[in-house]
Every structure is written in structure tokens, then in C-alpha cells.
Amino acid sequence: MATNAKERLLSAAERLFYEEGIRAVGIERILSESGVGRASFYRHFPSKDDVVVEVLRRRDTLWRSWLDDRITASGRSPEELPLALFDGLAERFSANDFRGCAFINTMVETADPDSPAHRVAAAHKEKVIEVLDRLLAQAGYRDHERLARQLALLGDGAIVTAVREGTPEAAVRAGGVAEVLLRTADREPVRH
């Protein structure tokens, strides 16, 4: 169970990293925003890099839970269920605090694919692909793994485009392309 100080550190770091970027935010700023002392910080985290990794792991859990909720609530048919990703992205892109994807932002900022933060961010993207792959396989799509990667690519492209354009329309356009991919993909015949 996280201590109150650790929770305050993580909450402040997550907000600051997302709003301003990992490199732009130092330990002093996290301490100031969280109201936690330096000694307490170092009891919980050996370095800023460790805070970044923990923030990303926590955000991964929350984000995938959010996606699961969007899928469950979508009301789409099984063969269209992967499109719930784009419905959810359109919703997220409309939020006032939308600053892109914390995981894409991290990979761009860290650049080193061997860094712990980059690996956690890349693993998050693979987990999203696994969710899409599972949905596609359950709906009978034959080449579900390739299709899952294509849908994830469209999702990531929509995220970057939404940052550039400042509008949720990118999710709608990407969802339209995804819909065409699903409609033209081979599926197993439905068994009665």
C-alpha cells in the first residue's frame, strides 16, 4: 500500500510530466508541488527515473482499465468492438487536459529504447495491441494479430494528429479507416 507521501509524489509527478514533459520537470519541482520532503522522496525512489517508471506503470493500469470500460460500455457488435478504441479516443481528445499520449511522449523524450521508461512505454503499447488482438480473435478475424497492429497504428496516428490539430476529429477519421479495414478483413464463418 502506497504511503500518503508516495501517493502525493506520484500524483504530482504524473500531472507535471504529462503537462510539461519529463525533462522539463526536476525533482525540486515534484517536491514543491507534492509538499513532500527530499528525504521522504529518496526513501520511496532512488532517482527521478524511478518516479517516471512508476508513474508510467500506474498510468498503464489506469489507461487499460479505462479502455476496458469503453469497450464494455460501447454497445457495439463483437465484430465492431475494436472500434470502441476510437470512440474512447474521440472522448479523450475532447478533454481540456489532453496533451497527447503519455507513453508516446515518453518514448519521444527518452529516445533510448533501452531505458526503463522507454521499455515501460513500449510495453504499454504492446498491451493495447494484445487487447485489440483478443477482441479481433474472438470476433473471428483470421489475421487478427496483423489487424490489431494496424488498428493500434491508426490509434497512435490519431493521437499525434489530435495534438497537432487540437480537435477530436482525428479519432473519427482514424475510426473510419479502421471500420473499412474491419469490413474488408477475412473472418471465420459464423457457426450456428
Side-chain angles (χ1 to χ4, degrees):
M1 181 177 194
T3 66
N4 188 32
K6 184 176 183 180
E7 180 57 35
R8 290 192 341 250
L9 286 165
L10 288 171
S11 293
E14 181 173 11
R15 181 179 54 76
L16 291 168
F17 292 160
Y18 187 65
E19 289 175 358
E20 300 175 23
I22 295 168
R23 288 185 181 171
V25 176
I27 291 174
E28 291 302 320
R29 181 81 185 284
I30 296 168
L31 295 176
S32 173
E33 293 281 329
S34 67
V36 174
R38 180 177 299 283
S40 183
F41 175 92
Y42 285 109
R43 271 196 301 277
H44 296 292
F45 302 104
S47 70
K48 177 183 163 185
D49 289 341
D50 294 296
V51 175
V52 172
V53 167
E54 180 107 12
V55 162
L56 290 172
R57 286 183 178 143
R58 185 166 106 154
R59 194 166 186 114
D60 167 62
T61 300
L62 293 172
W63 199 93
R64 286 186 299 114
S65 176
W66 171 85
L67 178 59
D68 287 343
D69 290 347
R70 294 307 164 285
I71 291 167
T72 301
S74 77
R76 289 185 174 269
S77 65
E79 61 273 4
E80 289 190 345
L81 211 44
L83 298 175
L85 168 67
F86 301 96
D87 300 336
L89 289 177
E91 173 189 317
R92 184 66 191 114
F93 296 170
S94 298
N96 290 334
D97 66 342
F98 176 69
R99 302 278 184 278
C101 171
F103 305 97
I104 292 173
N105 297 349
T106 297
M107 287 186 277
V108 169
E109 277 200 74
T110 58
D112 176 7
D114 293 325
S115 75
H118 195 285
R119 286 195 313 263
V120 170
H124 164 79
K125 292 298 182 178
E126 288 300 319
K127 290 174 188 172
V128 172
I129 291 168
E130 288 170 11
V131 169
L132 293 169
D133 183 49
R134 177 181 45 80
L135 294 173
L136 292 161
Q138 289 171 349
Y141 289 95
R142 290 179 199 242
D143 197 2
H144 49 85
E145 184 178 345
R146 182 181 60 80
L147 192 52
R149 291 190 177 282
Q150 290 172 332
L151 296 181
L153 176 66
L154 287 170
D156 285 347
I159 291 166
V160 173
T161 302
V163 170
R164 182 174 51 83
E165 294 178 352
T167 172
E169 182 60 29
V172 175
R173 292 193 311 264
V177 174
E179 193 172 343
V180 171
L181 282 174
L182 293 182
R183 202 174 1 182
T184 58
D186 285 339
R187 290 182 57 227
E188 297 288 334
V190 178
R191 299 192 202 313
H192 295 285

